[in-house]
Amino acid sequence: MTAAANPPSYDTIAGLLATERYNPNIVPQLEAYVEEQAKTCTYHFQANLTLTKLYQFFPDLLAERADILGLVFALSLANWKPPMPVADTKEDEVSTFTDSLQLSYVVDAEVQEKEGPISAVIRCVELLESCNYPPLWSDSAALPAVLSDPSLSSLNPDSLKAHIRRSILLSLACTYKSAPVSVVLDALGYSPSEAPDFMSLAAGEASDVISAVNVAGRSVEFAPMGGPTSVNRKRPVGGGAKAKGVDFAAIFRAMAVASDQ
């Protein structure tokens, strides 16, 4: 069985899943597609689940490319999203919090428990599901193990961390109206010196989740979640509807002064 010369397209994979889902001859194409997902930051869970099932049915194929299975699990982490209120879920942001669990059902426990990318991903998902966020970034058996594993080098570490941070913010926004800045920084794996990075995130990719950063009260205010008209999208951070921009340096200086008091 030879590897696919070129990564297959989405349409090709969809056709294979429709007509030859349990044919071991499609494994090379599915493996190439997993590697392509890692490189292009795309995701096709059904293709990855099908490959995992074929590894279960034909263990010899897994022995040849065990690194691919670790990448399949890593992709489920890179695309993990918490349960969301239906009204607040975008078309491209459907909850995927059960993907890793579904994969674990078709992988032997011995494989999952063996030290490596799969056990590290499972540890990360456990921490995300339990909302125990700080150890996710500090536990050497969690995200640091995923980021340092050479078999996962095709994953974009910055993209992975950015996605996890957004997922954590979505979880917090579904639970709290506001939270202390220090708590949010810890949850997102930021040190106090990285507060400017957090402010950039708040004003950029997370501007539809964070409605404001209250410097005086040292708190983060989240956009309302839970109703068709409640989501506050694209509201400027640190100002009202008429605000045109945010002086990140000034905010960071104010936060530093407040923390010294």
Side-chain angles (χ1 to χ4, degrees):
M1 192 175 295
T2 58
N6 296 305
S9 67
Y10 176 90
D11 291 339
T12 298
I13 293 297
L16 293 175
L17 295 181
T19 61
E20 301 186 70
R21 184 179 288 262
Y22 297 111
N23 183 347
N25 291 326
I26 72 172
V27 165
Q29 290 167 289
L30 293 176
E31 290 174 337
Y33 194 54
V34 167
E35 294 176 316
E36 184 68 7
Q37 291 173 66
K39 293 175 183 175
T40 58
C41 297
T42 53
Y43 189 51
H44 195 318
F45 175 66
Q46 286 303 319
N48 300 345
L49 181 60
T50 297
L51 176 59
T52 306
K53 289 179 178 179
L54 287 170
Y55 283 152
Q56 181 190 33
F57 299 151
F58 305 96
D60 291 346
L61 299 179
L62 174 59
E64 295 174 9
R65 294 300 307 272
D67 59 313
I68 292 292
L69 185 58
L71 193 54
V72 165
F73 271 81
L75 285 169
S76 73
L77 172 64
N79 291 274
W80 187 92
K81 300 181 183 73
M84 291 287 294
V86 174
D88 292 331
T89 303
K90 301 177 182 177
E91 270 187 37
D92 62 344
E93 201 159 52
V94 177
S95 296
T96 55
F97 64 99
T98 62
D99 288 3
S100 298
L101 181 62
Q102 291 185 63
L103 291 172
S104 71
Y105 289 152
V106 291
V107 175
D108 288 344
E110 290 183 5
V111 175
Q112 297 181 47
E113 294 168 1
K114 183 179 179 181
E115 184 177 353
I118 296 177
S119 63
V121 167
I122 291 174
R123 173 62 176 158
C124 289
V125 172
E126 289 173 348
L127 292 169
L128 286 169
E129 289 178 343
S130 62
C131 299
N132 188 12
Y133 303 126
L136 174 72
W137 308 94
S138 60
D139 186 345
S140 60
L143 192 58
V146 174
L147 296 174
S148 62
D149 195 298
S151 68
L152 304 180
S153 59
S154 56
L155 279 177
N156 184 319
D158 292 333
S159 176
L160 174 60
K161 289 188 286 187
H163 177 85
I164 289 175
R165 282 173 172 142
R166 176 172 177 81
S167 295
I168 290 172
L169 285 172
L170 286 170
S171 293
L172 293 174
C174 286
T175 310
Y176 304 106
K177 279 185 66 176
S178 65
V181 169
S182 60
V183 171
V184 176
L185 290 178
D186 284 345
L188 300 181
Y190 287 125
S191 65
S193 63
E194 294 174 309
D197 294 332
F198 164 68
M199 296 304 302
S200 296
L201 175 70
E205 295 179 4
S207 61
D208 59 336
V209 183
I210 296 176
S211 60
V213 176
N214 186 332
V215 177
R218 286 183 284 177
S219 65
V220 176
E221 298 177 10
F222 298 107
M225 300 279 173
T229 61
S230 65
V231 179
N232 189 359
R233 305 289 184 192
K234 303 301 180 186
R235 179 176 173 182
V237 176
K242 297 181 180 180
K244 296 183 178 180
V246 179
D247 186 342
F248 298 125
I251 291 177
F252 178 59
R253 286 194 297 269
M255 290 171 64
V257 170
S259 64
D260 291 337
Q261 293 178 349

